Amino acid sequence: GDSVTQMEGPVTLSEEAFLTINCTYTATGYPSLFWYVQYPGEGLQLLLKATKADDKGSNKGFEATYRKETTSFHLEKGSVQVSDSAVYFCALRHTGNQFYFGTGTSLTVIP
Amino acid sequence: EAGVTQFPSHSVIEKGQTVTLRCDPISGHDNLYWYRRVMGKEIKFLLHFVKESKQDESGMPNNRFLAERTGGTYSTLKVQPAELEDSGVYFCASSQDGSGILGETQYFGPGTRLLVL
């Protein structure tokens, strides 16, 4: 069945460091891929998405490219800030309306 | 515009008791979803309402869980009787168009943290 595997955390980085959070998926066909973020005390928020192969989603300095050949959707940011500290969830949506989420990766950025 | 709201934010109950979680979706959103995250694991789909009808309840773990959405507005998720393994964070989400467009955004609430002792 459909599933998402993402890099286990927690991840701790210094401010302005480069961030990569790996995400790979298993699905037949062509799912849509998402990154959601959960800031402390808040709900999940859509960070970015890509709906077809080779699409790049981007938002708030974060980017992820839908790679069909490697079944991956890695999240990257060139220079993280303290305000980026949160839990990041990779997800896919295939047929039907439900999402399949990864386990989440906790990121802490220290000044 | 108000987002998805959930009540309570936290609940601590004893095994065997009953708990009812509530979700208020964004006004005008016909689609409402329940998800659950057990500690340290992935967020898993529970069920999907379209208005007051259950579209997909394939993720409901067992018959101790009952979800309702009378009138097609807010939804409740009742756990009766609660077991230890029911502990986790219960998320609700809503969307305007559940037609199956794969890029459609679901808007999530902050979750209800349930602890069963």
Side-chain angles (χ1 to χ4, degrees), chain A residues 17-30:
Chain A
F18 184 86
L19 169 71
T20 300
I21 300 178
N22 290 337
C23 172
T24 57
Y25 68 89
T26 300
T28 56
Y30 299 90

Side-chain angles (χ1 to χ4, degrees), chain B residues 36-50:
Chain B
R36 176 174 74 170
R37 186 187 190 204
V38 173
M39 181 64 72
K41 297 193 175 180
E42 68 270 23
I43 300 170
K44 285 195 172 180
F45 168 83
L46 297 178
L47 87 161
H48 169 209
F49 282 100
V50 178

